[in-house]
C-alpha cells in the first residue's frame, strides 16, 4: 500500500468522524475577541446543542460554522476543507427572524425563494410549499406577508424556508425562541424526526436547557468573554425521544441539573 | 485599514490614468477633429498656461463659490422642504404637487424669468443654482422619511415625542443615508449649474472661461476648464465620503 | 371628495392669481415676463396650431430614449458598485471626475460627432441620466438589510438570482425615486439641448419665442413643460403602484 | 434637384436665402433648400462640420475665430454688410439716471453685451480704442437681447450694447436713453454675416456652390428693394411677429464677398487678441 | 347627595378598580377579525400575564392597550378614557426588539432617547443610563451599537429604555424570549421588585407558562381565530416570589397543569 493511498484512507476515516471542525478558531470583531481558541468537532448526523449565557458567543460560533464570518486565526472546516462561503447544503435559521424574511414576498414566496435557488421547477413548487407550511403549523397562511404574521409565525416561516433547502446540515439559532410551549414541542419533534430520517447534521443554539437535552446527542456550554467551551455533555437518552417519558428520565434530570449549575456559575 | 485605503485610492487613480491614456490615443489617432477634442497633453498645457498667465485661478474660485453657496442653500432648503413634506399630510396634499410641476423646468429657460424678477445679481444666480440642485435632496428626504421602520415611529409615539423631536431624532437620522446620497448628487448638479449660470447669466467663473473658449474654438482651453471641473468634482466627492463615513459609522458597524 | 381633488391646485391657483394682479397693477412691461392670462392665451393658440403637440412629441421621444438608455446603464453600474466594494473603489476617481462635466460644455463636440437631431440629444440625455441612477442605486444597495444579503449567501443564490430576487426588490423603492429624479432630469436636459443647439422640440420653441420677444409664448412653453413633468410624475407613481404593488409600498405619495 | 440645408440664426442677415426659398429662386436654380434655425451663431461652424447643414451664416467674428481655431471653413457668398441704416440701428443704450456725454464716461461702467467677443462687443471695443479709451477699464458682462429691458430697468447694468428694434422699444418704455451711436460713428461697410461651408464640401460640390451663388445674387436685390417681401420671409423663418420685423429695416444684403472685405475684421480682432494665427484672406473666400 | 355627585363617586370607585379596560373590543385587520369581543379589566398595580398559542392575538391585544391600534368596535379605555394615542406613562417593550432600537445610536444613546423625551437634563442622563444598563446586566456595553450586540443584549437594551421612561404602566411583549434561563430569572426578579416598589401596572405577554404564573397576579389565556379569552386564573401565590420556593409551591404546579391543558386543547 502506497503512502498516498494510506493517507487517503486516513483522511477518509477522519472525514467519516467529523463533518464540521473548529480548530483553535479565534474571532476578533471591532477590536474585541469574541471567540477564542475554540476546538469543536461535529460528526456527520450528530445533533449538537449549544447553550450559554446571553452574549457569550453562541450566534457568533454558529456564524463561523456557516461561513458568514471567517476566523481571525485557526480554522473552521467542513468535510475537511476550510469554510470560506456558505454552502448550499447548509441551511441557517437566523435568530432575528424578522430581518431574514423578504418583506415583499408572501409566506409562500419566501419559501419559494429557497426552491428557486435550487432550481425546483415552478410547477412542483406549489405542492412543496404547501407541505412545508403544514409541517410548521402554518397551513392556510400562504398568502400572508411577513408583516401580517405574528412573531412566532415569522419564526416558523423561516424554519420552513430552511427545510425547503433540503439541507444536509442545519444551523439553527434559537429557532423556537418566540413559540409557545405546545407549538414548540410539536416543532421539536418535527425537527427530530426530519433530521433523523435524513441523517441531517444539526448545530442547534438555544437558551432553553431542557430543549437542548431533549434534542441533542451532545450539549456544549459556552463561557463568555471570550467565548470558549466550558462544559461538554454527551446525552445518553434513548431515541426516539418522547415529550413526557424523556423529560422524566433520571438521566435527563441529572444532565439538566449539571447544565443548570454550569450556567449559574457563568453568571456574573 | 489606512494603508489599504491608500492602496485602493492609488489603484483607482491608475484606472483613471488608463482612461486618460485611452483619450490620448484617441486624440493621437485623430478619431475626432483635434479642433474639438484635444489630447490630454494639449489640455494640460492649456491648463498650466491658464494658471500661469491667465486668470483661471480666479475663475475657478468664482465657480467654487457659486457652487458652495448654491449647494448649501439647496441642502438646507431641500432637507427642510423634504422633512416638511415627508412628515405632514397637509404639505403633501397642498404643496408637493406644485413642486412636481416646478421640478422639470430647465434652468436655461428659468434664467430669463429669474433675471426679470430678481435682476442680474448674484442672488439670482444662487437662487437658480439652488433651484436646480434642490430636487435630489427633496426627493431623497421625502423617500427617507417614508421608509423609516414603522416600529421606530411607534417607539416615538409611545415616548410621546414632539413632532420636532420625531423628525430630528428618528426620521432624519434614519433617512440620513438617503439624504447624503441626494446631497452627493446635488453637489455635482450645483457645480454644473454654476457653470451653466455663468454661461447664461454672464457671471464670472469657469463657465465664462468654457464659453469663451468654446466660442473661440480653443478646445484645449475648454478642456482645461473641463479638467478643473472633474478635479473639483473628485475632491468634493472625497470630502463627501469623509462626511458619510463619519455620519454613517453605525452602518459600517452593521456589516 | 371634489375638494380633496382640488387641493393640489390651490397653491398654484393662488400664486397665479397674485401674479396676474401684480402684472395688472404694475402694468408689467417686460420681454421675459407676461401676465398669466396672456400666457394661457398663447398656450391655447400654440396647442391649437399643433406646434406644441409636435414639439412635445419630439422632446419626449428624445427624453424617453435617453432616459431608458441612461438609467439602464446607471442601474447596472449602481448595482455592481453597490455589491462590489472593490469595483466601486477602483472606479471612484473615474466616476467622480466624469460626473461633474457639464454636457452643455461638450455640446459642440457632440454636435460635430453626431450632428443635429435625435441621436445627439439622446446621447446627452443618457449621459446625464446615468449619474442619479448610479449614485442612488449604489446607496440603496448598500443600505439593504445585511441579514437579507447573508440569507441570500446562505441560500447560495447565483449572482443573477441574487440581484433579481433580493437586491432589486429590496432597493426598488429607492431605485424608483432615482428613476423619477432621472425622468425630470431627462426632460430638463432634452429641453436644454434643444434651447442651446438642437432645432427640434419644445426647447427650440422656447428659443424661437424668446428671440421673437414673445414672452407670453415662451412662458407658455415653460408652463407646458411643467404640466408634462407633472403628468409624467403622476404616471410614474401610478406605474410604480401597479407594477410593484407592495414592493414599492414604502415609496412616497404624490 | 440638389438638396442642401442652410443654417441661420433668427436675424434678418440671411434674408437673401429666406427670400430665395420663398420666391422659388433656389428651386429655379435646381436647389432643394431647407432652412434650419440655429440658436446660437457660434454653433454654426460645428453644425457645418457635422454635415447637419451644408451652408451656414456665421458672423465674421465667429467665422474668423473658427478658422483661427483650425476649422477648415470657406466663405462662399456674402449675406449682409454694414451700411448707414444698419449702423445707426446699433447703439449703446444707457439706463436712467446715468448720462454719457463722451466715450470716456464708459470707464468703470458695467456694460452688457449680447455676446462677449461677438459682433456688437467687438465693434464697441474697436470704437472705444478709436476714441482713446482703454477697453479694459470697462466691465463687460453678457446680457441676452430678451432680458436687456428687464436688466436695464432694474439697474443690473449701466448700459447695454443693442440694436433696433430694442433701442426704440426701450426708449419708448422710458428705460433710458441712447448713450452712443457707435455703429454710425465707426461708419463701416464690412460684412456682418456671410454664407460659409466646409472647404471639403465646397470643393466637391462646386456646381452646387455656383447655383447657390446665382440664387443669392438674384434674391439679394429683392431684399434690399422690396421690404414687404423681405419682411414676410424673415417673419416666416424667425417666427417673429410681422409688425416687429417690419419695424426695423433688414440689414443690407450683399451677395458679393471679396477676400479683402475680411481684412478689416482680421485687423480688429487681432488687435483685440482674439486671433492667434495669421490668417490669409485669400484662402478664406472660395473663388 | 345630588345625582351628579353620586355618579361622580361611582366613577371614582370604578376608576379605583380598573386602570385599563377592554369593553367588547373587536379588531379587524386586512379583512380578518383578529380580536373579537374582548372583555378584560386590569386593576391599578396589577401584574397581568397573557398566554396563548402562537398567532392567537397576544401582541395585537397589547397593541390595543398601548393605543397603537384602535378597536374596530367596542372600546379600550385607560383610566376611564378611550385610548386614542400612546401615553407617556405607558411603556411598551416590543416583541421584535431588533426593529425597535435606533441602529444609529449606541446602547447609551438608545436609552438616552427615553430620557430626552421626558426632558431629563443632559448632565443627569449619564448616571441614570449607567444605572439602567447595570440593572439589565449590560454594564460596560454603553458604547456598542445594536448591530454589535447579541439578540439577548438587544432585548435587554430595549427593556432598559422602557424602564428609563419611568412608566406607571408597562406593556411587555415576550420581553425575555431571547434570554437564557439565568439571565431571565434575574430579570424576572428585577421587574417584579421594580414594579412592586412603584406600584406599576403590568401587562406581560409570554409563551412561557411557568414565567406567567411566577410573575402574575392573574393569568389570562387567549383562544385563537379570533382572539378571545379562553381561561382566566387568579394566581394566589405568596409575594415576594422566590425562584425556588414559588416554583415548587403546589398551587404553582396546579396552575401550571391547568394552563398546560388549556394550551394543549387550543392547539389544532
Ligand atoms: N459585529 C460585532 N461587533 C462587535 N462585537 C460584536 C459583534 N457581534 C457580536 N459582538 C459581541 O460578541 C458577543 C457575542 O455575541 P453573540 O451574538 O454571539 O451572543 P449570543 O451568545 O448569541 O447571545 P444571545 O443569546 O443573547 O443571542 C457579544 O458580547 C456581542 O456584543
Ligand atoms: N397587520 C396585520 N394584518 C393582517 N393580519 C394580522 C396583522 N397583524 C397580525 N395579524 C394576524 O393576527 C393574528 C394574531 O397576531 P399576533 O401578532 O397578535 O399573535 P401573537 O399572539 O402575538 O403570536 P406570537 O406568540 O407568535 O407572537 C395572526 O394570525 C396574524 O396573522
Ligand atoms: Mg445569539
Ligand atoms: Mg406576538
Amino acid at each position: 500500500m502506497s503512502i498516498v493511498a494510506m493517507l487517503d484512507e486516513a483522511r477518509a476515516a477522519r472525514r467519516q468522524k467529523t463533518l464540521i471542525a473548529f480548530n483553535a478558531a479565534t474571532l476578533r470583531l471591532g477590536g474585541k475577541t469574541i471567540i477564542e481558541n475554540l476546538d469543536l468537532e461535529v460528526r456527520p448526523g450528530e445533533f449538537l446543542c449549544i447553550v450559554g449565557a446571553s452574549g457569550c458567543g453562541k450566534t457568533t460560533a454558529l456564524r463561523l460554522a456557516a461561513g458568514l464570518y471567517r476566523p481571525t486565526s485557526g480554522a473552521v472546516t467542513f468535510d475537511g476543507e476550510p469554510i470560506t462561503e456558505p454552502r448550499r447544503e447548509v441551511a441557517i435559521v437566523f435568530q432575528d427572524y424578522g430581518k431574514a424574511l423578504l418583506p415583499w414576498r408572501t409566506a409562500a414566496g419566501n419559501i419559494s425563494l429557497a426552491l428557486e435557488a435550487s432550481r425546483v421547477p415552478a410547477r412542483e413548487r406549489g405542492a412543496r410549499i404547501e407541505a412545508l407550511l403544514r409541517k410548521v403549523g402554518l397551513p392556510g397562511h400562504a398568502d400572508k406577508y411577513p408583516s401580517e404574521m405574528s412573531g412566532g409565525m415569522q419564526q416558523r416561516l423561516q424554519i420552513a424556508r430552511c427545510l425547503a433547502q433540503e439541507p444536509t446540515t442545519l444551523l439553527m439559532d434559537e429557532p423556537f425562541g418566540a413559540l409557545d410551549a405546545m407549538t414548540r414541542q410539536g416543532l421539536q419533534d418535527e425537527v427530530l424526526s426530519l433530521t433523523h430520517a435524513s441523517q441531517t447534521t444539526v448545530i442547534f443554539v438555544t437558551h432553553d436547557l431542557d430543549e437542548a437535552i431533549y434534542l441533542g446527542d451532545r450539549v456544549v456550554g459556552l463561557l463568555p468573554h471570550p467565548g470558549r467551551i466550558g462544559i461538554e455533555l454527551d446525552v445518553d437518552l434513548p431515541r426516539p425521544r418522547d415529550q413526557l417519558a424523556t423529560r422524566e428520565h433520571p438521566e435527563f434530570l441529572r444532565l439538566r441539573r449539571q447544565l443548570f449549575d454550569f450556567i449559574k456559575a457563568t453568571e456574573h | 485599514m489606512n494603508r489599504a485605503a491608500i492602496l485602493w485610492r492609488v489603484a483607482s487613480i491608475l484606472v483613471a490614468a488608463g482612461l486618460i491614456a485611452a483619450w490620448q490615443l484617441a486624440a493621437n489617432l485623430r478619431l475626432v477633429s483635434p479642433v474639438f477634442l484635444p489630447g490630454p497633453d494639449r489640455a494640460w498645457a492649456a491648463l498650466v498656461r491658464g494658471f500661469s498667465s491667465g486668470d483661471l485661478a480666479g475663475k475657478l474660485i468664482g465657480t467654487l463659490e457659486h457652487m458652495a453657496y448654491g449647494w448649501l442653500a439647496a441642502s438646507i432648503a431641500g432637507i427642510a422642504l423634504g422633512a416638511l413634506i415627508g412628515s405632514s399630510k397637509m404639505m403633501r396634499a397642498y404643496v408637493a404637487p406644485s413642486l412636481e410641476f416646478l421640478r422639470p423646468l430647465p434652468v436655461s429657460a428659468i434664467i430669463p424669468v429669474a433675471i426679470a424678477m430678481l435682476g442680474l445679481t448674484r442672488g439670482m444666480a444662487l437662487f437658480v443654482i439652488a433651484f436646480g440642485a434642490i430636487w435630489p435632496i427633496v426627493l431623497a428626504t421625502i423617500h427617507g422619511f417614508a421608509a423609516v421602520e414603522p416600529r421606530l415611529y411607534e417607539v416615538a409615539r409611545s415616548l410621546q415625542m414632539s413632532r420636532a423631536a420625531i423628525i430630528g431624532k428618528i426620521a432624519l437620522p434614519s433617512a440620513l443615508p438617503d439624504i447624503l446620497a441626494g446631497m452627493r448628487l446635488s453637489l455635482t448638479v450645483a457645480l454644473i449649474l454654476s457653470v451653466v449660470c455663468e454661461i447664461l447669466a454672464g457671471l464670472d467663473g469657469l463657465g465664462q472661461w468654457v464659453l469663451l473658449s468654446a466660442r473661440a474654438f480653443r478646445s484645449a482651453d475648454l478642456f482645461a476648464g473641463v479638467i478643473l471641473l472633474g478635479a473639483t468634482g473628485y475632491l468634493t466627492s472625497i470630502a463627501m465620503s469623509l462626511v458619510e463615513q463619519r455620519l454613517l459609522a453605525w452602518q459600517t458597524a452593521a456589516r | 371628495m371634489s375638494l380633496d381633488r382640488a387641493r393640489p391646485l390651490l397653491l398654484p391657483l393662488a400664486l397665479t392669481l397674485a401674479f396676474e394682479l401684480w402684472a395688472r397693477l404694475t402694468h408689467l412691461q417686460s420681454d421675459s415676463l407676461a401676465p398669466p392670462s396672456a400666457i394661457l392665451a398663447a398656450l391655447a393658440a400654440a396647442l391649437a396650431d399643433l406646434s406644441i403637440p409636435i414639439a412635445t412629441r419630439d422632446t419626449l421621444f428624445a427624453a424617453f430614449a435617453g432616459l431608458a438608455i441612461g438609467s439602464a446603464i446607471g442601474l447596472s453600474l449602481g448595482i455592481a458598485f453597490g455589491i462590489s466594494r472593490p469595483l466601486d473603489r477602483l472606479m471612484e476617481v473615474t466616476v467622480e471626475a466624469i460626473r461633474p462635466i457639464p454636457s452643455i460644455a461638450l455640446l459642440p463636440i457632440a454636435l460635430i460627432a453626431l450632428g443635429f437631431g435625435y441621436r445627439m440629444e439622446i446621447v446627452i440625455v443618457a449621459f446625464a441620466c446615468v449619474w442619479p441612477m448610479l449614485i442612488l442605486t449604489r446607496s440603496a444597495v448598500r443600505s439593504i438589510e445585511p441579514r437579507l444579503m447573508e440569507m441570500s449567501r446562505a441560500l447560495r443564490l447565483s449572482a443573477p438570482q441574487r440581484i433579481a430576487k433580493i437586491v432589486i426588490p429590496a432597493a426598488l423603492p429607492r431605485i424608483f425615486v432615482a428613476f423619477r429624479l432621472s425622468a425630470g432630469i431627462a426632460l430638463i436636459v432634452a429641453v436644454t439641448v434643444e434651447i442651446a443647439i438642437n432645432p427640434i422640440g419644445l426647447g427650440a420653441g422656447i428659443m424661437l419665442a424668446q428671440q421673437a420677444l414673445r414672452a407670453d409664448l415662451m412662458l407658455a412653453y415653460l408652463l407646458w413643460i411643467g404640466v408634462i413633468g407633472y403628468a409624467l410624475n403622476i404616471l410614474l407613481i401610478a406605474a410604480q403602484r401597479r407594477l410593484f404593488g407592495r414592493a414599492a409600498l414604502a415609496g412616497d405619495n404624490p | 434637384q440638389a438638396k442642401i440645408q442652410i443654417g441661420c440664426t433668427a436675424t434678418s442677415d440671411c434674408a437673401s436665402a429666406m427670400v430665395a426659398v420663398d420666391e422659388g429662386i433656389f428651386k429655379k436654380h435646381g436647389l432643394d433648400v431647407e432652412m434650419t434655425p440655429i440658436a446660437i451663431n457660434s454653433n454654426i461652424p460645428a453644425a457645418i462640420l457635422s454635415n447637419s447643414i451644408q451652408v451656414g451664416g456665421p458672423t465674421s467674428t465667429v467665422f474668423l475665430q473658427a478658422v483661427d481655431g483650425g476649422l477648415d471653413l470657406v466663405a462662399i457668398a456674402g449675406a449682409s454688410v454694414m451700411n448707414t441704416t444698419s449702423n445707426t440701428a446699433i447703439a449703446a443704450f444707457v439706463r436712467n439716471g446715468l448720462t454719457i456725454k463722451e466715450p470716456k464716461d464708459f470707464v468703470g461702467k458695467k456694460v452688457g453685451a449680447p455676446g462677449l467677443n461677438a459682433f456688437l462687443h467687438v465693434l464697441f471695443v474697436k470704437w472705444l480704442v478709436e476714441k482713446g479709451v482703454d477697453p479694459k477699464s470697462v466691465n463687460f458682462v453678457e446680457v441676452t437681447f430678451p432680458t436687456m429691458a428687464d436688466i436695464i430697468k432694474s439697474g443690473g447694468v449701466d448700459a447695454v450694447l443693442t440694436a433696433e428694434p430694442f433701442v426704440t422699444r426701450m426708449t419708448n418704455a422710458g428705460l433710458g436713453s441712447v448713450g452712443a451711436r457707435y455703429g454710425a460713428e465707426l461708419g463701416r461697410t464690412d460684412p456682418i454675416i456671410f454664407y460659409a461651408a466646409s472647404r471639403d464640401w465646397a470643393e466637391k460640390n462646386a456646381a452646387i456652390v455656383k447655383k447657390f451663388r446665382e440664387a443669392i445674387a438674384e434674391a439679394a436685390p429683392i431684399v434690399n428693394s422690396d421690404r414687404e417681401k423681405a419682411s414676410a420671409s424673415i417673419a416666416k423663418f424667425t417666427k417673429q411677429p410681422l409688425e416687429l420685423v417690419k419695424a426695423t429695416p433688414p440689414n443690407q444684403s450683399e451677395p458679393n464677398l471679396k477676400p479683402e472685405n475680411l481684412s478689416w475684421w482680421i485687423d480688429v480682432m487681432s488687435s483685440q487678441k482674439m486671433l492667434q494665427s495669421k490668417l490669409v484672406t485669400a484662402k478664406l473666400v472660395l473663388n
Side-chain angles (χ1 to χ4, degrees), chain D residues 6-275:
Chain D
I6 302 178
C8 283
T9 47
T11 60
S12 66
D13 296 283
C14 289
S16 50
M18 301 171 199
V19 168
V21 171
D22 282 354
E23 297 296 306
I25 299 174
F26 279 133
K27 206 158 260 159
K28 203 172 75 193
H29 285 91
L31 293 178
D32 178 12
V33 167
E34 187 192 330
M35 296 287 291
T36 305
I38 306 252
I40 302 164
N41 199 287
S42 55
N43 284 337
I44 290 178
I48 293 177
L49 232 63
S50 70
N51 206 28
S52 292
I53 55 175
Q54 288 73 45
V55 175
T59 59
S60 315
T61 49
V62 165
F63 177 81
L64 291 175
Q65 284 195 308
V67 175
D68 183 54
L71 295 189
D72 207 6
L73 300 179
V74 278
I76 57 170
S80 62
V81 294
M82 296 184 259
N83 68 356
T84 334
T85 335
S86 69
N87 282 341
T88 40
I90 297 173
F93 190 88
V94 181
R95 71 172 163 88
N96 279 331
L98 207 70
T99 40
I100 301 272
K101 289 205 198 74
E102 43 182 359
K104 73 173 181 339
D105 289 345
F106 280 107
V107 171
K109 296 289 181 298
K110 196 169 173 187
V111 176
L116 292 180
N117 289 353
F119 182 71
L120 289 179
H121 181 214
V122 172
L123 279 189
F124 186 70
V125 170
K126 171 71 178 161
W127 176 76
L128 287 178
V129 172
E130 276 190 4
K131 301 293 176 187
V133 178
D134 180 9
K136 287 213 172 61
S137 63
V138 180
N139 181 11
F140 289 104
V141 296
E142 201 161 302
V143 170
T144 56
F145 280 112
T147 58
M148 275 177 181
D150 288 317
I151 292 178
I152 276 284
K153 188 157 66 178
S154 71
V157 293
D158 298 315
V160 288
L161 309 180
T162 183
E164 290 298 351
F166 295 94
V167 182
T168 313
R169 280 165 71 98
M170 289 193 286
T171 312
N172 290 348
L175 301 180
S177 57
V178 171
R181 297 248 174 220
Y182 64 98
E185 288 183 34
L186 282 170
R188 300 299 309 184
T189 56
D190 303 273
I192 303 171
I193 276 183
F194 40 82
Y195 298 104
S198 78
R199 188 181 304 278
D200 197 33
W201 182 86
E203 279 169 359
K204 279 191 190 133
N205 297 282
I208 297 180
V209 172
K210 186 162 166 288
K211 287 179 198 161
F212 176 80
R213 281 176 166 172
E214 286 164 9
I216 292 292
E218 196 178 328
I222 303 179
V223 175
N224 294 336
S225 58
D226 191 341
R227 267 190 67 181
E228 277 300 314
K229 266 186 191 162
S231 300
S233 293
I234 294 168
K236 189 173 149 206
F237 174 71
T238 61
K239 303 225 165 70
Q240 287 170 350
L242 191 57
E243 317 81 68
L244 189 75
V245 174
K246 276 187 180 161
T248 35
N251 287 342
Q252 185 181 354
S253 278
E254 174 50 65
N256 293 316
L257 181 71
K258 302 260 155 17
E260 52 272 24
N261 293 142
L262 292 176
S263 51
W264 182 77
W265 278 112
I266 296 179
D267 288 345
V268 170
M269 288 170 67
S270 297
S271 69
Q272 293 183 19
K273 298 211 169 47
M274 290 169 60
L275 299 178

Side-chain angles (χ1 to χ4, degrees), chain B residues 213-246:
Chain B
S213 308
R215 259 196 212 153
F217 300 94
R218 290 196 306 260
S219 57
D221 283 345
L222 189 153
F223 271 83
V226 168
I227 291 177
L228 276 186
L229 290 174
T232 308
Y234 176 58
L235 291 178
T236 47
S237 116
I238 289 187
M240 259 326 268
S241 300
L242 289 180
V243 173
E244 275 177 12
Q245 256 168 38
R246 269 196 67 109

Side-chain angles (χ1 to χ4, degrees), chain A residues 55 57-60 95 173-174 205:
Chain A
K58 304 182 291 295
T59 298
T60 311
Q95 183 173 13
D173 197 355
E174 309 204 5
V205 169

Side-chain angles (χ1 to χ4, degrees), chain A residues 135-146:
Chain A
K135 218 165 246 170
V136 296
L138 290 175
H141 294 281
D143 292 334
K144 280 204 172 132
Y145 287 96

Side-chain angles (χ1 to χ4, degrees), chain A residues 105-193:
Chain A
R105 286 199 180 202
T106 58
N110 266 287
I111 297 179
S112 166
L113 186 72
L115 299 177
E116 292 160 27
S118 34
R119 307 200 180 284
V120 174
R123 70 204 127 63
E124 287 176 29
R125 285 180 214 151
R128 284 181 57 178
I129 290 170
E130 211 165 293
L132 283 161
L133 281 174
R134 209 168 323 108
K135 218 165 246 170
V136 296
L138 290 175
H141 294 281
D143 292 334
K144 280 204 172 132
Y145 287 96
S147 62
E148 296 171 337
M149 302 176 91
S150 78
M153 288 158 80
Q154 292 178 20
Q155 203 167 38
R156 284 179 277 162
L157 177 57
Q158 201 202 171
I159 295 171
R161 186 178 63 202
C162 283
L163 296 180
Q165 236 176 306
E166 301 199 326
T168 65
T169 303
L170 250 176
L171 308 178
M172 307 181 91
D173 197 355
E174 309 204 5
F176 306 145
L179 299 179
D180 63 290
M182 288 311 301
T183 314
R184 174 188 284 240
Q185 294 191 356
L187 277 176
Q188 284 169 350
D189 291 338
E190 187 71 52
V191 165
L192 273 186
S193 78

